Amino acid sequence: MNRLEEDKYGLYIHAPNYSEVRDRIVESEKRTDMIKLNKIPRLIRYIYGAL
């Protein structure tokens, strides 16, 4: 077993606080995605949602 395995975020999988840090990173990415979506004009979001 390799204790230095990393996930796609570059975090060590076997670290004691892995799940906490990973959850914070995922939450941060979700907020960033929502901010980006809010920048798209409302009409484009409406059309994209209809597809």
Side-chain angles (χ1 to χ4, degrees):
M1 175 168 74
N2 185 2
R3 297 194 61 79
L4 298 178
E5 286 182 66
E6 294 183 4
D7 66 356
K8 68 178 184 176
Y9 301 111
L11 301 174
Y12 294 111
I13 294 174
H14 301 289
N17 63 345
Y18 170 75
S19 62
E20 296 171 18
V21 175
R22 184 177 173 279
D23 291 343
R24 279 190 272 153
I25 290 173
V26 169
E27 189 65 33
S28 174
E29 286 184 349
K30 286 180 184 178
R31 273 186 267 136
T32 302
D33 290 345
M34 288 302 296
I35 291 170
K36 289 178 184 176
L37 281 177
N38 288 334
K39 292 181 179 179
I40 298 173
R42 187 173 288 164
L43 180 61
I44 294 174
R45 283 189 284 161
Y46 178 76
I47 292 171
Y48 183 75
L51 298 176

mmCIF file of all heavy atoms in Angstrom:
data_model
loop_
_atom_site.group_PDB
_atom_site.id
_atom_site.type_symbol
_atom_site.label_atom_id
_atom_site.label_comp_id
_atom_site.label_asym_id
_atom_site.label_seq_id
_atom_site.Cartn_x
_atom_site.Cartn_y
_atom_site.Cartn_z
ATOM 1 N N MET A 1 0.843 -1.179 0.000
ATOM 2 C CA MET A 1 0.000 0.000 0.000
ATOM 3 C C MET A 1 0.887 1.241 0.000
ATOM 4 O O MET A 1 1.788 1.378 0.814
ATOM 5 C CB MET A 1 -0.901 -0.019 1.237
ATOM 6 C CG MET A 1 -1.735 1.233 1.377
ATOM 7 S SD MET A 1 -3.029 1.103 2.617
ATOM 8 C CE MET A 1 -2.100 1.201 4.108
ATOM 9 N N ASN A 2 0.641 2.125 -0.906
ATOM 10 C CA ASN A 2 1.415 3.355 -1.009
ATOM 11 C C ASN A 2 0.765 4.437 -0.156
ATOM 12 O O ASN A 2 -0.320 4.902 -0.446
ATOM 13 C CB ASN A 2 1.488 3.786 -2.480
ATOM 14 C CG ASN A 2 2.376 4.988 -2.667
ATOM 15 O OD1 ASN A 2 2.972 5.490 -1.716
ATOM 16 N ND2 ASN A 2 2.467 5.448 -3.891
ATOM 17 N N ARG A 3 1.423 4.868 0.893
ATOM 18 C CA ARG A 3 0.855 5.859 1.810
ATOM 19 C C ARG A 3 0.934 7.265 1.234
ATOM 20 O O ARG A 3 0.424 8.206 1.819
ATOM 21 C CB ARG A 3 1.553 5.785 3.157
ATOM 22 C CG ARG A 3 1.338 4.430 3.811
ATOM 23 C CD ARG A 3 1.701 4.377 5.249
ATOM 24 N NE ARG A 3 0.986 5.245 6.146
ATOM 25 C CZ ARG A 3 -0.232 5.050 6.634
ATOM 26 N NH1 ARG A 3 -0.912 3.994 6.247
ATOM 27 N NH2 ARG A 3 -0.763 5.881 7.489
ATOM 28 N N LEU A 4 1.560 7.435 0.097
ATOM 29 C CA LEU A 4 1.688 8.752 -0.515
ATOM 30 C C LEU A 4 0.773 8.912 -1.727
ATOM 31 O O LEU A 4 1.020 9.742 -2.582
ATOM 32 C CB LEU A 4 3.138 9.015 -0.911
ATOM 33 C CG LEU A 4 4.136 9.035 0.256
ATOM 34 C CD1 LEU A 4 5.543 9.256 -0.274
ATOM 35 C CD2 LEU A 4 3.788 10.103 1.264
ATOM 36 N N GLU A 5 -0.281 8.117 -1.795
ATOM 37 C CA GLU A 5 -1.228 8.228 -2.899
ATOM 38 C C GLU A 5 -1.924 9.587 -2.847
ATOM 39 O O GLU A 5 -2.303 10.057 -1.786
ATOM 40 C CB GLU A 5 -2.289 7.142 -2.814
ATOM 41 C CG GLU A 5 -1.806 5.766 -3.186
ATOM 42 C CD GLU A 5 -2.946 4.769 -3.120
ATOM 43 O OE1 GLU A 5 -3.876 4.900 -3.933
ATOM 44 O OE2 GLU A 5 -2.899 3.904 -2.244
ATOM 45 N N GLU A 6 -2.097 10.207 -4.014
ATOM 46 C CA GLU A 6 -2.773 11.492 -4.090
ATOM 47 C C GLU A 6 -4.033 11.361 -4.928
ATOM 48 O O GLU A 6 -4.107 10.552 -5.843
ATOM 49 C CB GLU A 6 -1.855 12.539 -4.713
ATOM 50 C CG GLU A 6 -0.648 12.872 -3.870
ATOM 51 C CD GLU A 6 0.198 13.968 -4.473
ATOM 52 O OE1 GLU A 6 -0.189 14.531 -5.517
ATOM 53 O OE2 GLU A 6 1.253 14.251 -3.914
ATOM 54 N N ASP A 7 -5.030 12.201 -4.627
ATOM 55 C CA ASP A 7 -6.237 12.223 -5.434
ATOM 56 C C ASP A 7 -6.110 13.318 -6.485
ATOM 57 O O ASP A 7 -5.036 13.905 -6.658
ATOM 58 C CB ASP A 7 -7.480 12.416 -4.557
ATOM 59 C CG ASP A 7 -7.519 13.775 -3.877
ATOM 60 O OD1 ASP A 7 -6.557 14.552 -4.016
ATOM 61 O OD2 ASP A 7 -8.529 14.070 -3.227
ATOM 62 N N LYS A 8 -7.185 13.613 -7.193
ATOM 63 C CA LYS A 8 -7.113 14.584 -8.288
ATOM 64 C C LYS A 8 -6.880 16.017 -7.802
ATOM 65 O O LYS A 8 -6.513 16.880 -8.574
ATOM 66 C CB LYS A 8 -8.388 14.529 -9.141
ATOM 67 C CG LYS A 8 -9.643 15.017 -8.449
ATOM 68 C CD LYS A 8 -10.814 14.952 -9.397
ATOM 69 C CE LYS A 8 -12.064 15.518 -8.752
ATOM 70 N NZ LYS A 8 -13.162 15.555 -9.676
ATOM 71 N N TYR A 9 -7.080 16.272 -6.499
ATOM 72 C CA TYR A 9 -6.836 17.598 -5.937
ATOM 73 C C TYR A 9 -5.418 17.735 -5.393
ATOM 74 O O TYR A 9 -5.035 18.786 -4.909
ATOM 75 C CB TYR A 9 -7.841 17.903 -4.819
ATOM 76 C CG TYR A 9 -9.275 17.867 -5.282
ATOM 77 C CD1 TYR A 9 -10.137 16.868 -4.870
ATOM 78 C CD2 TYR A 9 -9.770 18.846 -6.131
ATOM 79 C CE1 TYR A 9 -11.441 16.835 -5.293
ATOM 80 C CE2 TYR A 9 -11.075 18.820 -6.564
ATOM 81 C CZ TYR A 9 -11.910 17.824 -6.144
ATOM 82 O OH TYR A 9 -13.208 17.787 -6.572
ATOM 83 N N GLY A 10 -4.644 16.667 -5.436
ATOM 84 C CA GLY A 10 -3.288 16.682 -4.925
ATOM 85 C C GLY A 10 -3.209 16.418 -3.435
ATOM 86 O O GLY A 10 -2.177 16.637 -2.818
ATOM 87 N N LEU A 11 -4.297 15.943 -2.839
ATOM 88 C CA LEU A 11 -4.317 15.641 -1.410
ATOM 89 C C LEU A 11 -3.899 14.196 -1.177
ATOM 90 O O LEU A 11 -4.191 13.319 -1.974
ATOM 91 C CB LEU A 11 -5.732 15.844 -0.847
ATOM 92 C CG LEU A 11 -6.319 17.237 -0.989
ATOM 93 C CD1 LEU A 11 -7.763 17.222 -0.516
ATOM 94 C CD2 LEU A 11 -5.517 18.232 -0.197
ATOM 95 N N TYR A 12 -3.215 13.975 -0.061
ATOM 96 C CA TYR A 12 -2.824 12.622 0.300
ATOM 97 C C TYR A 12 -4.035 11.877 0.843
ATOM 98 O O TYR A 12 -4.665 12.301 1.797
ATOM 99 C CB TYR A 12 -1.690 12.632 1.320
ATOM 100 C CG TYR A 12 -0.416 13.200 0.750
ATOM 101 C CD1 TYR A 12 0.086 14.426 1.175
ATOM 102 C CD2 TYR A 12 0.272 12.516 -0.238
ATOM 103 C CE1 TYR A 12 1.237 14.951 0.628
ATOM 104 C CE2 TYR A 12 1.430 13.031 -0.797
ATOM 105 C CZ TYR A 12 1.904 14.245 -0.359
ATOM 106 O OH TYR A 12 3.041 14.759 -0.911
ATOM 107 N N ILE A 13 -4.367 10.751 0.239
ATOM 108 C CA ILE A 13 -5.577 9.995 0.559
ATOM 109 C C ILE A 13 -5.552 9.464 1.989
ATOM 110 O O ILE A 13 -6.574 9.414 2.651
ATOM 111 C CB ILE A 13 -5.758 8.843 -0.450
ATOM 112 C CG1 ILE A 13 -6.021 9.416 -1.835
ATOM 113 C CG2 ILE A 13 -6.870 7.909 -0.029
ATOM 114 C CD1 ILE A 13 -6.065 8.393 -2.939
ATOM 115 N N HIS A 14 -4.399 9.104 2.502
ATOM 116 C CA HIS A 14 -4.317 8.479 3.823
ATOM 117 C C HIS A 14 -4.075 9.490 4.941
ATOM 118 O O HIS A 14 -3.806 9.103 6.065
ATOM 119 C CB HIS A 14 -3.233 7.405 3.821
ATOM 120 C CG HIS A 14 -3.493 6.335 2.815
ATOM 121 N ND1 HIS A 14 -4.509 5.413 2.954
ATOM 122 C CD2 HIS A 14 -2.894 6.049 1.626
ATOM 123 C CE1 HIS A 14 -4.508 4.605 1.909
ATOM 124 N NE2 HIS A 14 -3.555 4.971 1.081
ATOM 125 N N ALA A 15 -4.186 10.781 4.656
ATOM 126 C CA ALA A 15 -4.003 11.803 5.692
ATOM 127 C C ALA A 15 -5.183 11.764 6.666
ATOM 128 O O ALA A 15 -6.311 11.472 6.269
ATOM 129 C CB ALA A 15 -3.896 13.180 5.056
ATOM 130 N N PRO A 16 -4.955 12.075 7.926
ATOM 131 C CA PRO A 16 -6.037 12.007 8.916
ATOM 132 C C PRO A 16 -7.161 13.014 8.671
ATOM 133 O O PRO A 16 -8.310 12.760 9.025
ATOM 134 C CB PRO A 16 -5.339 12.277 10.249
ATOM 135 C CG PRO A 16 -4.015 12.831 9.917
ATOM 136 C CD PRO A 16 -3.684 12.409 8.533
ATOM 137 N N ASN A 17 -6.872 14.143 8.065
ATOM 138 C CA ASN A 17 -7.903 15.153 7.821
ATOM 139 C C ASN A 17 -8.317 15.220 6.349
ATOM 140 O O ASN A 17 -8.830 16.228 5.888
ATOM 141 C CB ASN A 17 -7.410 16.521 8.287
ATOM 142 C CG ASN A 17 -6.188 16.988 7.518
ATOM 143 O OD1 ASN A 17 -5.546 16.196 6.842
ATOM 144 N ND2 ASN A 17 -5.864 18.250 7.644
ATOM 145 N N TYR A 18 -8.104 14.140 5.628
ATOM 146 C CA TYR A 18 -8.380 14.112 4.189
ATOM 147 C C TYR A 18 -9.821 14.478 3.860
ATOM 148 O O TYR A 18 -10.073 15.322 3.004
ATOM 149 C CB TYR A 18 -8.052 12.722 3.625
ATOM 150 C CG TYR A 18 -8.517 12.521 2.209
ATOM 151 C CD1 TYR A 18 -7.836 13.109 1.158
ATOM 152 C CD2 TYR A 18 -9.640 11.755 1.914
ATOM 153 C CE1 TYR A 18 -8.260 12.938 -0.149
ATOM 154 C CE2 TYR A 18 -10.076 11.577 0.618
ATOM 155 C CZ TYR A 18 -9.377 12.176 -0.404
ATOM 156 O OH TYR A 18 -9.807 12.017 -1.693
ATOM 157 N N SER A 19 -10.792 13.873 4.531
ATOM 158 C CA SER A 19 -12.194 14.104 4.181
ATOM 159 C C SER A 19 -12.614 15.542 4.466
ATOM 160 O O SER A 19 -13.368 16.132 3.682
ATOM 161 C CB SER A 19 -13.109 13.127 4.917
ATOM 162 O OG SER A 19 -12.998 13.305 6.304
ATOM 163 N N GLU A 20 -12.117 16.133 5.542
ATOM 164 C CA GLU A 20 -12.465 17.522 5.857
ATOM 165 C C GLU A 20 -11.943 18.483 4.795
ATOM 166 O O GLU A 20 -12.667 19.351 4.309
ATOM 167 C CB GLU A 20 -11.884 17.914 7.215
ATOM 168 C CG GLU A 20 -12.440 17.148 8.382
ATOM 169 C CD GLU A 20 -11.664 17.433 9.655
ATOM 170 O OE1 GLU A 20 -10.941 18.441 9.703
ATOM 171 O OE2 GLU A 20 -11.797 16.637 10.592
ATOM 172 N N VAL A 21 -10.684 18.327 4.445
ATOM 173 C CA VAL A 21 -10.064 19.217 3.468
ATOM 174 C C VAL A 21 -10.703 19.022 2.095
ATOM 175 O O VAL A 21 -10.991 19.987 1.387
ATOM 176 C CB VAL A 21 -8.539 18.979 3.404
ATOM 177 C CG1 VAL A 21 -7.906 19.812 2.309
ATOM 178 C CG2 VAL A 21 -7.907 19.285 4.748
ATOM 179 N N ARG A 22 -10.969 17.784 1.722
ATOM 180 C CA ARG A 22 -11.583 17.508 0.429
ATOM 181 C C ARG A 22 -12.981 18.123 0.356
ATOM 182 O O ARG A 22 -13.355 18.702 -0.665
ATOM 183 C CB ARG A 22 -11.658 16.000 0.189
ATOM 184 C CG ARG A 22 -12.193 15.662 -1.170
ATOM 185 C CD ARG A 22 -12.178 14.155 -1.405
ATOM 186 N NE ARG A 22 -12.823 13.822 -2.632
ATOM 187 C CZ ARG A 22 -14.151 13.719 -2.788
ATOM 188 N NH1 ARG A 22 -14.941 13.911 -1.775
ATOM 189 N NH2 ARG A 22 -14.668 13.423 -3.945
ATOM 190 N N ASP A 23 -13.754 18.015 1.433
ATOM 191 C CA ASP A 23 -15.086 18.607 1.451
ATOM 192 C C ASP A 23 -15.026 20.120 1.284
ATOM 193 O O ASP A 23 -15.844 20.707 0.572
ATOM 194 C CB ASP A 23 -15.814 18.271 2.759
ATOM 195 C CG ASP A 23 -16.189 16.797 2.855
ATOM 196 O OD1 ASP A 23 -16.187 16.116 1.801
ATOM 197 O OD2 ASP A 23 -16.477 16.344 3.976
ATOM 198 N N ARG A 24 -14.033 20.767 1.922
ATOM 199 C CA ARG A 24 -13.897 22.221 1.766
ATOM 200 C C ARG A 24 -13.533 22.595 0.332
ATOM 201 O O ARG A 24 -14.044 23.575 -0.204
ATOM 202 C CB ARG A 24 -12.845 22.762 2.725
ATOM 203 C CG ARG A 24 -13.391 22.956 4.123
ATOM 204 C CD ARG A 24 -12.420 23.695 4.978
ATOM 205 N NE ARG A 24 -11.539 22.684 5.568
ATOM 206 C CZ ARG A 24 -10.297 22.879 5.953
ATOM 207 N NH1 ARG A 24 -9.762 24.054 5.845
ATOM 208 N NH2 ARG A 24 -9.593 21.909 6.466
ATOM 209 N N ILE A 25 -12.673 21.820 -0.298
ATOM 210 C CA ILE A 25 -12.284 22.106 -1.679
ATOM 211 C C ILE A 25 -13.473 21.941 -2.618
ATOM 212 O O ILE A 25 -13.719 22.770 -3.486
ATOM 213 C CB ILE A 25 -11.110 21.195 -2.112
ATOM 214 C CG1 ILE A 25 -9.842 21.597 -1.381
ATOM 215 C CG2 ILE A 25 -10.908 21.253 -3.617
ATOM 216 C CD1 ILE A 25 -8.674 20.668 -1.617
ATOM 217 N N VAL A 26 -14.237 20.866 -2.450
ATOM 218 C CA VAL A 26 -15.403 20.609 -3.295
ATOM 219 C C VAL A 26 -16.434 21.730 -3.116
ATOM 220 O O VAL A 26 -17.002 22.229 -4.090
ATOM 221 C CB VAL A 26 -16.010 19.225 -2.982
ATOM 222 C CG1 VAL A 26 -17.358 19.049 -3.653
ATOM 223 C CG2 VAL A 26 -15.049 18.127 -3.417
ATOM 224 N N GLU A 27 -16.679 22.152 -1.873
ATOM 225 C CA GLU A 27 -17.628 23.229 -1.601
ATOM 226 C C GLU A 27 -17.167 24.530 -2.248
ATOM 227 O O GLU A 27 -17.965 25.276 -2.811
ATOM 228 C CB GLU A 27 -17.803 23.416 -0.094
ATOM 229 C CG GLU A 27 -18.909 24.357 0.272
ATOM 230 C CD GLU A 27 -20.272 23.844 -0.144
ATOM 231 O OE1 GLU A 27 -20.491 22.626 -0.127
ATOM 232 O OE2 GLU A 27 -21.120 24.684 -0.506
ATOM 233 N N SER A 28 -15.883 24.805 -2.186
ATOM 234 C CA SER A 28 -15.333 26.005 -2.803
ATOM 235 C C SER A 28 -15.524 25.978 -4.316
ATOM 236 O O SER A 28 -15.866 26.999 -4.927
ATOM 237 C CB SER A 28 -13.852 26.128 -2.467
ATOM 238 O OG SER A 28 -13.274 27.195 -3.151
ATOM 239 N N GLU A 29 -15.314 24.821 -4.930
ATOM 240 C CA GLU A 29 -15.507 24.702 -6.373
ATOM 241 C C GLU A 29 -16.965 24.904 -6.760
ATOM 242 O O GLU A 29 -17.261 25.500 -7.786
ATOM 243 C CB GLU A 29 -15.017 23.341 -6.874
ATOM 244 C CG GLU A 29 -13.527 23.236 -6.926
ATOM 245 C CD GLU A 29 -13.059 21.926 -7.523
ATOM 246 O OE1 GLU A 29 -13.884 21.006 -7.707
ATOM 247 O OE2 GLU A 29 -11.858 21.820 -7.801
ATOM 248 N N LYS A 30 -17.892 24.411 -5.937
ATOM 249 C CA LYS A 30 -19.317 24.595 -6.212
ATOM 250 C C LYS A 30 -19.674 26.077 -6.182
ATOM 251 O O LYS A 30 -20.401 26.571 -7.042
ATOM 252 C CB LYS A 30 -20.169 23.844 -5.195
ATOM 253 C CG LYS A 30 -20.186 22.364 -5.387
ATOM 254 C CD LYS A 30 -21.043 21.700 -4.332
ATOM 255 C CE LYS A 30 -21.015 20.198 -4.431
ATOM 256 N NZ LYS A 30 -21.801 19.571 -3.369
ATOM 257 N N ARG A 31 -19.152 26.807 -5.173
ATOM 258 C CA ARG A 31 -19.423 28.245 -5.085
ATOM 259 C C ARG A 31 -18.849 28.983 -6.287
ATOM 260 O O ARG A 31 -19.488 29.868 -6.847
ATOM 261 C CB ARG A 31 -18.844 28.823 -3.796
ATOM 262 C CG ARG A 31 -19.790 28.700 -2.635
ATOM 263 C CD ARG A 31 -19.250 29.393 -1.421
ATOM 264 N NE ARG A 31 -18.530 28.350 -0.685
ATOM 265 C CZ ARG A 31 -17.341 28.474 -0.131
ATOM 266 N NH1 ARG A 31 -16.725 29.598 -0.164
ATOM 267 N NH2 ARG A 31 -16.775 27.466 0.479
ATOM 268 N N THR A 32 -17.652 28.603 -6.707
ATOM 269 C CA THR A 32 -17.025 29.233 -7.864
ATOM 270 C C THR A 32 -17.862 28.986 -9.118
ATOM 271 O O THR A 32 -18.062 29.892 -9.926
ATOM 272 C CB THR A 32 -15.596 28.688 -8.072
ATOM 273 O OG1 THR A 32 -14.846 28.923 -6.881
ATOM 274 C CG2 THR A 32 -14.918 29.364 -9.238
ATOM 275 N N ASP A 33 -18.365 27.763 -9.272
ATOM 276 C CA ASP A 33 -19.208 27.444 -10.423
ATOM 277 C C ASP A 33 -20.492 28.264 -10.408
ATOM 278 O O ASP A 33 -20.951 28.735 -11.444
ATOM 279 C CB ASP A 33 -19.547 25.956 -10.458
ATOM 280 C CG ASP A 33 -18.337 25.091 -10.789
ATOM 281 O OD1 ASP A 33 -17.320 25.643 -11.269
ATOM 282 O OD2 ASP A 33 -18.417 23.872 -10.554
ATOM 283 N N MET A 34 -21.090 28.448 -9.234
ATOM 284 C CA MET A 34 -22.319 29.241 -9.138
ATOM 285 C C MET A 34 -22.058 30.696 -9.477
ATOM 286 O O MET A 34 -22.866 31.348 -10.130
ATOM 287 C CB MET A 34 -22.924 29.132 -7.728
ATOM 288 C CG MET A 34 -23.535 27.777 -7.446
ATOM 289 S SD MET A 34 -24.836 27.308 -8.618
ATOM 290 C CE MET A 34 -26.049 28.546 -8.278
ATOM 291 N N ILE A 35 -20.922 31.236 -9.061
ATOM 292 C CA ILE A 35 -20.579 32.619 -9.386
ATOM 293 C C ILE A 35 -20.434 32.764 -10.891
ATOM 294 O O ILE A 35 -20.914 33.733 -11.482
ATOM 295 C CB ILE A 35 -19.291 33.042 -8.650
ATOM 296 C CG1 ILE A 35 -19.560 33.151 -7.156
ATOM 297 C CG2 ILE A 35 -18.758 34.354 -9.197
ATOM 298 C CD1 ILE A 35 -18.303 33.331 -6.311
ATOM 299 N N LYS A 36 -19.804 31.796 -11.531
ATOM 300 C CA LYS A 36 -19.642 31.838 -12.976
ATOM 301 C C LYS A 36 -20.995 31.771 -13.677
ATOM 302 O O LYS A 36 -21.229 32.461 -14.655
ATOM 303 C CB LYS A 36 -18.749 30.692 -13.451
ATOM 304 C CG LYS A 36 -17.303 30.858 -13.088
ATOM 305 C CD LYS A 36 -16.494 29.657 -13.542
ATOM 306 C CE LYS A 36 -15.053 29.768 -13.099
ATOM 307 N NZ LYS A 36 -14.277 28.574 -13.454
ATOM 308 N N LEU A 37 -21.906 30.925 -13.159
ATOM 309 C CA LEU A 37 -23.230 30.823 -13.761
ATOM 310 C C LEU A 37 -24.010 32.129 -13.635
ATOM 311 O O LEU A 37 -24.773 32.487 -14.522
ATOM 312 C CB LEU A 37 -24.027 29.691 -13.113
ATOM 313 C CG LEU A 37 -23.706 28.291 -13.581
ATOM 314 C CD1 LEU A 37 -24.530 27.282 -12.793
ATOM 315 C CD2 LEU A 37 -23.979 28.140 -15.061
ATOM 316 N N ASN A 38 -23.836 32.828 -12.542
ATOM 317 C CA ASN A 38 -24.554 34.079 -12.350
ATOM 318 C C ASN A 38 -24.079 35.166 -13.307
ATOM 319 O O ASN A 38 -24.785 36.147 -13.528
ATOM 320 C CB ASN A 38 -24.416 34.564 -10.909
ATOM 321 C CG ASN A 38 -25.226 33.700 -9.971
ATOM 322 O OD1 ASN A 38 -26.203 33.086 -10.369
ATOM 323 N ND2 ASN A 38 -24.816 33.645 -8.728
ATOM 324 N N LYS A 39 -22.927 34.998 -13.890
ATOM 325 C CA LYS A 39 -22.413 35.974 -14.846
ATOM 326 C C LYS A 39 -23.022 35.787 -16.233
ATOM 327 O O LYS A 39 -22.968 36.682 -17.054
ATOM 328 C CB LYS A 39 -20.889 35.883 -14.934
ATOM 329 C CG LYS A 39 -20.210 36.346 -13.661
ATOM 330 C CD LYS A 39 -18.711 36.271 -13.800
ATOM 331 C CE LYS A 39 -18.048 36.752 -12.521
ATOM 332 N NZ LYS A 39 -16.593 36.676 -12.615
ATOM 333 N N ILE A 40 -23.579 34.624 -16.500
ATOM 334 C CA ILE A 40 -24.193 34.355 -17.795
ATOM 335 C C ILE A 40 -25.542 35.068 -17.832
ATOM 336 O O ILE A 40 -26.318 34.991 -16.888
ATOM 337 C CB ILE A 40 -24.381 32.837 -17.995
ATOM 338 C CG1 ILE A 40 -23.023 32.139 -17.980
ATOM 339 C CG2 ILE A 40 -25.101 32.548 -19.306
ATOM 340 C CD1 ILE A 40 -23.134 30.629 -18.012
ATOM 341 N N PRO A 41 -25.839 35.755 -18.920
ATOM 342 C CA PRO A 41 -27.121 36.451 -19.012
ATOM 343 C C PRO A 41 -28.305 35.503 -18.797
ATOM 344 O O PRO A 41 -28.255 34.319 -19.136
ATOM 345 C CB PRO A 41 -27.128 36.995 -20.436
ATOM 346 C CG PRO A 41 -25.696 37.096 -20.809
ATOM 347 C CD PRO A 41 -24.996 35.985 -20.083
ATOM 348 N N ARG A 42 -29.351 36.042 -18.209
ATOM 349 C CA ARG A 42 -30.520 35.247 -17.831
ATOM 350 C C ARG A 42 -31.146 34.549 -19.037
ATOM 351 O O ARG A 42 -31.580 33.397 -18.938
ATOM 352 C CB ARG A 42 -31.551 36.147 -17.161
ATOM 353 C CG ARG A 42 -32.710 35.368 -16.598
ATOM 354 C CD ARG A 42 -33.626 36.247 -15.811
ATOM 355 N NE ARG A 42 -32.943 36.588 -14.573
ATOM 356 C CZ ARG A 42 -33.305 37.575 -13.779
ATOM 357 N NH1 ARG A 42 -34.313 38.325 -14.092
ATOM 358 N NH2 ARG A 42 -32.636 37.814 -12.680
ATOM 359 N N LEU A 43 -31.204 35.163 -20.180
ATOM 360 C CA LEU A 43 -31.808 34.561 -21.367
ATOM 361 C C LEU A 43 -31.042 33.319 -21.802
ATOM 362 O O LEU A 43 -31.648 32.296 -22.131
ATOM 363 C CB LEU A 43 -31.856 35.575 -22.518
ATOM 364 C CG LEU A 43 -32.466 35.086 -23.827
ATOM 365 C CD1 LEU A 43 -33.915 34.671 -23.615
ATOM 366 C CD2 LEU A 43 -32.378 36.165 -24.876
ATOM 367 N N ILE A 44 -29.725 33.392 -21.779
ATOM 368 C CA ILE A 44 -28.918 32.243 -22.181
ATOM 369 C C ILE A 44 -29.131 31.085 -21.209
ATOM 370 O O ILE A 44 -29.253 29.931 -21.621
ATOM 371 C CB ILE A 44 -27.431 32.628 -22.273
ATOM 372 C CG1 ILE A 44 -27.236 33.623 -23.416
ATOM 373 C CG2 ILE A 44 -26.562 31.397 -22.474
ATOM 374 C CD1 ILE A 44 -25.853 34.186 -23.507
ATOM 375 N N ARG A 45 -29.208 31.379 -19.894
ATOM 376 C CA ARG A 45 -29.471 30.322 -18.917
ATOM 377 C C ARG A 45 -30.846 29.697 -19.150
ATOM 378 O O ARG A 45 -31.017 28.493 -19.023
ATOM 379 C CB ARG A 45 -29.397 30.876 -17.492
ATOM 380 C CG ARG A 45 -27.978 31.070 -17.025
ATOM 381 C CD ARG A 45 -27.939 31.409 -15.570
ATOM 382 N NE ARG A 45 -28.336 32.810 -15.437
ATOM 383 C CZ ARG A 45 -28.764 33.363 -14.326
ATOM 384 N NH1 ARG A 45 -28.892 32.652 -13.240
ATOM 385 N NH2 ARG A 45 -29.083 34.638 -14.287
ATOM 386 N N TYR A 46 -31.827 30.521 -19.506
ATOM 387 C CA TYR A 46 -33.171 30.009 -19.758
ATOM 388 C C TYR A 46 -33.182 29.083 -20.960
ATOM 389 O O TYR A 46 -33.742 27.994 -20.922
ATOM 390 C CB TYR A 46 -34.136 31.190 -19.990
ATOM 391 C CG TYR A 46 -35.546 30.759 -20.298
ATOM 392 C CD1 TYR A 46 -36.382 30.305 -19.294
ATOM 393 C CD2 TYR A 46 -36.023 30.812 -21.605
ATOM 394 C CE1 TYR A 46 -37.661 29.892 -19.576
ATOM 395 C CE2 TYR A 46 -37.318 30.412 -21.886
ATOM 396 C CZ TYR A 46 -38.135 29.944 -20.882
ATOM 397 O OH TYR A 46 -39.412 29.546 -21.162
ATOM 398 N N ILE A 47 -32.524 29.491 -22.049
ATOM 399 C CA ILE A 47 -32.462 28.666 -23.265
ATOM 400 C C ILE A 47 -31.702 27.376 -22.970
ATOM 401 O O ILE A 47 -32.119 26.289 -23.371
ATOM 402 C CB ILE A 47 -31.804 29.456 -24.409
ATOM 403 C CG1 ILE A 47 -32.717 30.593 -24.837
ATOM 404 C CG2 ILE A 47 -31.495 28.530 -25.593
ATOM 405 C CD1 ILE A 47 -32.083 31.566 -25.811
ATOM 406 N N TYR A 48 -30.578 27.467 -22.269
ATOM 407 C CA TYR A 48 -29.787 26.292 -21.971
ATOM 408 C C TYR A 48 -30.566 25.329 -21.085
ATOM 409 O O TYR A 48 -30.509 24.126 -21.252
ATOM 410 C CB TYR A 48 -28.482 26.696 -21.282
ATOM 411 C CG TYR A 48 -27.567 25.555 -20.988
ATOM 412 C CD1 TYR A 48 -26.834 24.954 -22.015
ATOM 413 C CD2 TYR A 48 -27.442 25.058 -19.716
ATOM 414 C CE1 TYR A 48 -25.994 23.888 -21.756
ATOM 415 C CE2 TYR A 48 -26.600 23.993 -19.431
ATOM 416 C CZ TYR A 48 -25.887 23.417 -20.468
ATOM 417 O OH TYR A 48 -25.061 22.359 -20.203
ATOM 418 N N GLY A 49 -31.349 25.856 -20.155
ATOM 419 C CA GLY A 49 -32.151 25.023 -19.281
ATOM 420 C C GLY A 49 -33.277 24.318 -20.024
ATOM 421 O O GLY A 49 -33.707 23.233 -19.640
ATOM 422 N N ALA A 50 -33.766 24.911 -21.118
ATOM 423 C CA ALA A 50 -34.842 24.308 -21.885
ATOM 424 C C ALA A 50 -34.338 23.124 -22.709
ATOM 425 O O ALA A 50 -35.133 22.255 -23.079
ATOM 426 C CB ALA A 50 -35.477 25.353 -22.805
ATOM 427 N N LEU A 51 -33.062 23.104 -22.993
ATOM 428 C CA LEU A 51 -32.511 22.006 -23.791
ATOM 429 C C LEU A 51 -32.436 20.801 -22.927
ATOM 430 O O LEU A 51 -32.604 19.731 -23.115
ATOM 431 C CB LEU A 51 -31.104 22.355 -24.306
ATOM 432 C CG LEU A 51 -31.032 23.563 -25.230
ATOM 433 C CD1 LEU A 51 -29.574 23.836 -25.575
ATOM 434 C CD2 LEU A 51 -31.829 23.322 -26.497
#
